[in-house]
Amino acid sequence: MSSPVRYELQDNIGIITVDNPPVNALSHAVRQGLLDAITAAGSDSSEAVVIICDGRTFIAGADIKEFGKPFKEPGLPDLLNTIEACEKPVIAAIHGTALGGGFETALAAHYRCAVPSAKVGLPEVKLGLLPGAGGTQRTPRLAGVKASLDLFISGAPIKAAQAKSIGLIDKIVDGDLLDGALAWAEELVRDDAPIRRSSEQVVPDFDASIFDEYRQTLAKRARGQMAPGHIVSAVEAAATLPFDEGQAVERRLFMECMQSPQSAGMRHIFFAERQASKIEGLSKDTPRRPVDSVGVIGGGTMGGGIAMSFANAGIRVTMIEISDEALQRGLSIVERNYAGSVKRGKISEEKATACRGLISGSTDYAALAEVDMVIEAVFEDPDLKKKIFKQLDAVCKPGAILATNTSYQDVDAIAAVTARPEDVLGMHFFSPAHIMKLLEVVRGEKTADDVLATVMALAKKIRKVAVVSGVCYGFIGNRMLGPYGETTQLLLLEGASPQQVDSAMENWGMAMGPLRVFDLAGLDVGYKAREALSDEQKGDPKTYRVPDLLVEAGRLGQKSGSGFYAYDENRRPTPDPVVGEMIENAAAELGIERREIPDEEIVDRLISALVDEGRKILEEGIAQRSSDIDVVYIYGYGFPVSRGGPMFYADQQ
Ligand code: T1G
């Protein structure tokens, strides 16, 4: 088996090339290949060494697939210390994304150059880890304490120009990277440039109180997460200890993170997210239809957000509304959202104007005659949706993809009103649609393979994480929310208060407790849905008695100023004794004895409710794999990524 690393001497420069597709991850073979190459360069006639990569990117990190497997030498920290110890100038030449162990490799080199489009970063925190191969010790010596803390704690990559401005990249190379790096190496040799080891640099002055400041912020912002706190300790070691001692601290903290269930959960989601984009039985070569223009039916909150998702990806959007007034309202939602994003510095004024310019409106369906795709985003009335699909069937061109943004309804029944059910599927966005990453792609019985393949690829283009679901009431996410909500109601009747249930779940890691979620969504939504059901279909009255009482008392949730909580003008929730009384009366009426319920039991029963329904969804083939369910809950329902999703969590227990 040939090594994924090759070494060649070109004139007086040694060139080490890593070629390990798809992202040149630092697998054992790559580490061994790098060690062999730097050793060879150390003893041959080369006067300098360039490390460069083939393919689409410089090394994008350690090979995450090897984590948790038996460790094989050489380890990365030792390998990078060997590269740094080289007595000849070592230059790292970066393109694509130099991430994690990949950027640590560049930091172990004595000089770094990059093409303008390159990005560098240390995203280990997103895997519940910290940079474990000298990154927490070398980066502060080049870029200082604060810039390093921000880089490690955000995990976000930065552009080459910014990296240069903080001392992490020395040179931007325009034109061919290898040519540029070789020319620079020649120059360094000619100028007898010093061997500049990052580990020997002194950490620039810093205010020692910065570490406690970050710890306090993280105690709130990253409550319960291990890695961010360990990052601060590792950087503090870099700032206060000699390199070797600091590296030992880094290693110890890294191993603690690596062995933590949190990192296991986050690594699971890393691969689960990528797995979700693969559809069993659908080959990678399935043809795709072009989607350069999209129609959106409905200019409400969802319609506006969906329109922005496509415009942000450079796709022209036509928003359809029933009247000019409604259309103006829809377009002004978009306007307001963009203005807000500019104000919060999320996007530039230019970008917002360009995206805004891609969105137009009409009240005439004829405006959709030539679009490649239409997404219906009107409120949850199945008859209205069917009426709209009949109209779309009449006006849209052959081959146009017709999608519904329904959160619950039978996509096959909607498709059946058209003469082209093969062109119909569900695209279930989550509110706010221009921000939430999850997209449930609902595959109808007759949905054509190329339609599915097109939408899955399109999801990546509009920066969504797409998960395929079969047709059932509520698909994957909302279907599981049913038993989760019912169990919540039982817990209230049995003795837990809304604030106890919510804080138990939020302390466990959920972004928001169930009662606050229901108040945010609006209690009238469920009430209206139940009104259309028979008592038998509604199921056990215990599971909806209290929400019904609240709605009938005009408590619709945040939007009416009260629901399970009372809300102030800033929509901050406060417990309301009136609700406590309503719950007690309902419990008495339903003959339920009340008792103290420990937080653990609340968490167990609610997570079990999710997992049990998840298992049924798997048995029925509604979801392709259990990790897809985890991705749905992480990206759509505020499930803590450090728990890996409900199904993964259950498997760990
Ligand atoms: N290890 C193993 N496989 C990886 C990988 C990695 N680091 N990165 C990507 N892949 C696989 C991925 O699963 C997919 O496989 C294919 O490559 C394409 O990825 C000591 C311990 C680089 C920005 O966290 O962020 O270094 O699905 O679909 O959208 O301090 O991948 O095709 O079979 O994501 O173009 C730190 C992780 C590791 C970077 C490219 N590094 N990767 O995005 O493609 S920890 C990271 C990414 C570490 C050291 C520590 C992205 C990307 P498949 P993709 P993409």
Side-chain angles (χ1 to χ4, degrees):
M1 200 27 214
S2 69
S3 166
V5 179
R6 59 183 190 276
Y7 177 65
E8 57 199 307
L9 194 52
Q10 191 168 307
D11 301 331
N12 61 335
I13 309 296
I15 305 172
I16 299 177
T17 308
V18 179
D19 183 12
N20 183 33
V23 294
N24 289 313
L26 286 156
S27 63
H28 172 250
V30 170
R31 298 195 307 273
Q32 187 62 55
L34 280 169
L35 183 60
D36 297 345
I38 198 72
T39 309
S43 56
D44 67 10
S45 61
S46 63
E47 292 179 283
V49 182
V50 169
I51 300 177
I52 194 163
C53 294
D54 278 351
R56 63 182 165 153
T57 180
F58 190 80
I59 302 166
D63 189 336
I64 307 169
K65 291 196 182 81
E66 290 186 352
F67 293 177
K69 298 201 176 111
F71 171 70
K72 286 189 202 159
E73 295 287 352
L76 193 55
D78 296 342
L79 166 64
L80 300 191
N81 289 349
T82 304
I83 290 175
E84 189 183 56
C86 182
E87 293 299 337
K88 304 171 182 183
V90 178
I91 296 121
I94 298 170
H95 74 293
T97 51
L99 302 174
F103 189 53
E104 289 174 298
T105 304
L107 291 170
H110 308 132
Y111 295 91
R112 286 154 290 282
C113 64
V115 292
S117 60
K119 288 185 177 172
V120 303
L122 292 139
E124 284 84 347
V125 71
K126 295 183 180 172
L127 298 168
L129 300 169
L130 52 88
T136 66
Q137 305 303 304
R138 290 190 171 97
T139 312
R141 285 172 162 80
L142 298 178
V145 164
K146 182 164 182 350
S148 305
L149 284 169
D150 293 341
L151 207 55
F152 304 154
I153 289 167
S154 73
I158 57 174
K159 293 196 173 125
Q162 189 190 348
K164 184 166 186 300
S165 71
I166 59 173
L168 294 177
I169 294 281
D170 305 298
K171 194 179 180 59
I172 303 290
V173 171
D174 294 310
D176 181 77
L177 178 60
L178 181 57
D179 292 349
L182 290 174
W184 190 30
E186 294 289 359
E187 197 186 305
L188 290 168
V189 168
R190 206 177 37 249
D191 302 347
D192 196 17
I195 302 294
R196 215 180 42 167
R197 297 189 172 94
S198 310
S199 64
E200 292 169 0
Q201 310 307 308
V202 177
V203 176
D205 290 349
F206 61 94
D207 178 340
S209 65
I210 192 169
F211 302 113
D212 285 344
E213 265 169 43
Y214 272 72
R215 286 192 179 99
Q216 277 153 27
T217 313
L218 290 169
K220 292 196 210 86
R221 227 185 49 210
R223 191 160 44 94
Q225 292 184 36
M226 175 191 279
H230 278 15
I231 284 172
V232 176
S233 304
V235 176
E236 190 169 26
T240 56
L241 298 173
F243 180 80
D244 296 348
E245 292 176 35
Q247 196 164 33
V249 171
E250 175 193 89
R251 195 75 221 163
R252 175 174 55 74
L253 297 170
F254 176 80
M255 291 317 288
E256 275 178 31
C257 290
M258 178 66 91
Q259 279 136 19
S260 73
Q262 292 187 0
S263 179
M266 296 166 95
R267 291 181 338 240
H268 164 72
I269 289 299
F270 176 84
F271 288 115
E273 182 184 332
R274 283 151 182 83
Q275 195 63 11
S277 65
K278 302 186 172 79
I279 304 173
E280 276 145 22
L282 208 69
S283 91
K284 269 207 190 121
D285 314 320
T286 304
R288 298 172 188 162
R289 302 185 189 179
V291 178
D292 302 317
S293 57
V294 170
V296 174
I297 312 291
T301 311
M302 289 309 291
I306 294 170
M308 290 173 71
S309 298
F310 285 93
N312 295 351
I315 297 173
R316 191 163 288 290
V317 180
T318 306
M319 180 185 280
I320 300 287
E321 258 294 0
I322 48 175
S323 68
D324 282 331
E325 195 205 342
L327 183 59
Q328 288 322 314
R329 211 176 25 249
L331 294 173
S332 62
I333 290 176
V334 169
E335 198 68 64
R336 248 196 338 270
N337 287 342
Y338 276 124
S341 301
V342 171
K343 200 156 156 241
R344 288 191 305 280
K346 295 275 181 216
I347 58 170
S348 68
E349 184 71 55
E350 297 69 46
K351 169 86 178 168
T353 310
C355 297
R356 176 74 195 76
L358 289 170
I359 303 174
S360 60
S362 173
T363 56
D364 185 352
Y365 272 65
L368 301 177
E370 289 311 316
V371 297
D372 300 319
M373 167 185 272
V374 180
I375 301 171
E376 162 274 312
V378 303
F379 58 89
E380 287 292 359
D381 172 348
D383 297 332
L384 174 61
K385 290 179 187 292
K386 287 175 186 164
K387 185 165 154 269
I388 289 171
F389 271 74
K390 276 201 189 101
Q391 282 178 279
L392 293 175
D393 195 19
V395 298
C396 291
K397 67 180 181 184
I401 294 174
L402 308 180
T404 169
N405 176 54
T406 179
S407 307
Y408 290 91
Q409 308 300 339
D410 182 342
V411 173
D412 290 327
I414 293 172
V417 304
T418 73
R420 48 173 118 181
E422 67 281 2
D423 297 339
V424 177
L425 81 175
M427 288 176 74
H428 177 209
F429 289 79
F430 287 72
S431 182
H434 60 297
I435 294 171
M436 291 294 282
K437 289 196 74 163
L438 182 65
L439 177 66
E440 274 185 328
V441 176
V442 185
R443 182 184 200 167
E445 203 182 307
K446 299 202 172 112
T447 302
D449 286 354
D450 66 334
V451 168
L452 200 53
T454 303
V455 169
M456 293 304 282
L458 189 61
K460 212 168 184 179
K461 187 169 177 186
I462 62 172
R463 297 174 173 280
K464 301 295 180 195
V465 175
V467 174
V468 174
S469 171
V471 174
C472 67
Y473 189 75
F475 317 129
I476 298 173
N478 284 346
R479 175 172 160 180
M480 290 166 69
L481 210 53
Y484 181 76
E486 290 166 7
T487 306
T488 301
Q489 298 310 323
L490 295 176
L491 285 161
L492 292 180
L493 291 168
E494 292 170 26
S497 66
Q499 56 274 27
Q500 186 202 359
V501 172
D502 282 349
S503 61
M505 294 311 288
E506 288 163 17
N507 290 341
W508 187 79
M510 292 298 277
M512 192 183 273
L515 287 316
R516 286 181 56 208
V517 169
F518 299 147
D519 273 357
L520 183 65
L523 304 177
D524 53 329
V525 179
Y527 187 84
K528 285 201 192 103
R530 282 191 295 279
E531 272 186 323
L533 302 174
S534 66
D535 281 355
E536 198 195 326
Q537 288 170 321
K538 275 199 263 182
D540 182 348
K542 295 194 205 80
T543 62
Y544 57 83
R545 184 79 189 109
V546 173
D548 278 6
L549 289 170
L550 291 171
V551 172
E552 285 149 14
R555 303 176 69 104
L556 312 183
Q558 264 196 25
K559 60 186 166 190
S560 70
S562 68
F564 283 99
Y565 295 91
Y567 291 87
D568 64 18
E569 64 283 356
N570 300 318
R571 297 197 168 211
R572 264 195 301 273
T574 43
D576 190 335
V578 173
V579 176
E581 237 174 271
M582 289 168 97
I583 295 171
E584 281 170 29
N585 296 342
E589 172 205 314
L590 291 159
I592 297 171
E593 207 173 310
R594 293 168 59 77
R595 60 185 172 90
E596 284 295 312
I597 303 179
D599 285 6
E600 296 71 37
E601 179 183 338
I602 292 172
V603 172
D604 277 357
R605 286 173 62 181
L606 286 175
I607 300 300
S608 302
L610 282 179
V611 173
D612 293 348
E613 195 65 22
R615 292 207 172 106
K616 290 183 196 148
I617 284 173
L618 278 173
E619 280 153 21
E620 295 167 23
I622 296 292
Q624 295 187 91
R625 50 187 86 86
S626 76
S627 62
D628 283 6
I629 297 176
D630 292 330
V631 172
V632 164
Y633 262 74
I634 299 285
Y635 285 107
Y637 295 82
F639 198 95
V641 65
S642 57
R643 303 266 187 195
M647 309 313 281
F648 177 83
Y649 174 74
D651 292 345
Q652 302 301 303
Q653 305 311 304

